[in-house]
Amino acid sequence: MSGDALSQDPAELRRRIDTSHAHPARVYDVFLGGKDNYPVDRAAAAAALAANPRGYLDVRHNRDFLRRAVNSLAGQDGIRQFLDIGTGLPTAENVHQIAQRIIPDARVVYVDNDPVVLAHARALLTSGPEGRTDYVDADFKNPAQILEQAAKTLDFDQPIALCLVAILHFVEDEEAYPIVRELVRALPSGSRLVLSHLTEDLNPENIRAVQRTYTERGFTFVLRSEAEVERFFTENSLRVAEPGVVPVHHWRADNAAPVPEQREESYLATLDDIEKVRYSDINDVTDADINVYAGVGEKA
């Protein structure tokens, strides 16, 4: 684990946590049924859900894409190293748990800059005895620092899967494309880019309503077209794996999305809409529910 990051003084860490503004990682945690969030994050999630009542399916299927991608890369392609930037809060089936179940000596580096994520980062570092995990407290907009710190754990002479899952829509074009270019340039041949991104191509009315709720709260929120998402692969000369850049629920669907705990209707009736999300089964998804593209590319 990263001693510098995790040895921060708890009082200093608390000072860094801004509970007056919603944070994307914590809003995401709300939709995943987590508890490491604040009223302002729950309010942002509730506003987004009111704007698009089936919007939780974007979040949950995005997370399930990460599961499927790591399974595929470790199980089929033998990728043993993962760099997960914009990690978010620990949740069920983190990258290292999936990868090390298949490849026990897999190495995983998580990167995030939210102090709430840092405060819970030890849960991301429960590596199996043969593998290694690390946490880097760094901003996506500082790729040089990320690469320098990641190299303490990952071997940059061997293929690495760079995971940029639901992070790039928080970054404007003038920064997003150059940052991805710098990160991919540092990766060796055989590496992969695992990417998902919100779009208005698929169901524009729903996602534009959600976009308004986030921009009103000060978030950068960039909805990119299929061509703009594909550009992250093509301008870096990455070969996009089958089935290409597709709506997230169509990327190698395996019908294994986790089914949540079932609760009595009488209990569910006591919950508000955002609390009910954690008990919602995502396997009834339709194309009209999804606003996320996903794809995986390989570096020659």
Side-chain angles (χ1 to χ4, degrees), residues 23-167:
H23 189 284
R26 303 193 310 252
V27 176
Y28 196 76
D29 182 65
V30 175
F31 278 111
L32 291 176
K35 299 189 179 294
D36 300 314
N37 49 70
Y38 295 92
V40 67
D41 306 306
R42 293 190 285 277
L49 192 67
N52 180 17
R54 300 272 285 174
Y56 65 89
L57 290 164
D58 279 333
V59 178
R60 299 267 296 280
H61 275 280
N62 178 75
R63 185 73 195 183
D64 199 56
F65 159 67
L66 180 61
R67 175 188 64 81
R68 300 193 307 274
V70 174
N71 266 329
S72 176
L73 291 175
Q76 298 176 26
D77 300 340
I79 300 296
R80 317 175 76 85
Q81 302 188 107
F82 295 82
L83 176 56
D84 183 5
I85 303 178
T87 298
L89 286 147
T91 186
E93 291 290 274
N94 297 298
V95 170
H96 72 278
Q97 294 166 317
I98 302 167
Q100 289 178 357
R101 185 164 54 242
I102 301 167
I103 301 176
D105 65 353
R107 298 184 176 196
V108 178
V109 172
Y110 296 104
V111 181
D112 210 300
N113 71 331
D114 180 9
V116 173
V117 179
L118 175 57
H120 295 273
R122 291 184 189 278
L124 292 168
L125 301 173
T126 54
S127 175
E130 299 172 58
R132 288 185 62 189
T133 59
D134 195 5
Y135 180 87
V136 176
D137 180 27
D139 194 315
F140 175 70
K141 296 180 181 180
N142 191 346
Q145 180 190 4
I146 290 172
L147 292 167
E148 178 186 3
Q149 294 297 315
K152 296 177 181 178
T153 300
L154 305 180
D155 179 357
F156 276 76
D157 290 326
Q158 299 296 321
I160 295 168
L162 169 63
C163 302
L164 302 178
V165 175
I167 182 175

Side-chain angles (χ1 to χ4, degrees), residues 176-220:
Y177 290 104
I179 290 170
V180 174
R181 192 159 53 242
E182 183 173 346
L183 290 168
V184 171
R185 188 168 54 235
L187 301 178
S189 175
S191 292
R192 308 302 203 272
L193 172 62
V194 179
L195 186 150
S196 66
H197 199 296
L198 282 167
T199 183
E200 62 181 352
D201 286 358
L202 305 174
N203 298 289
E205 184 177 344
N206 287 347
I207 196 61
R208 286 173 188 157
V210 173
Q211 182 185 40
R212 285 193 295 272
T213 70
Y214 283 123
T215 55
E216 287 168 359
R217 288 164 171 79
F219 289 3
T220 297

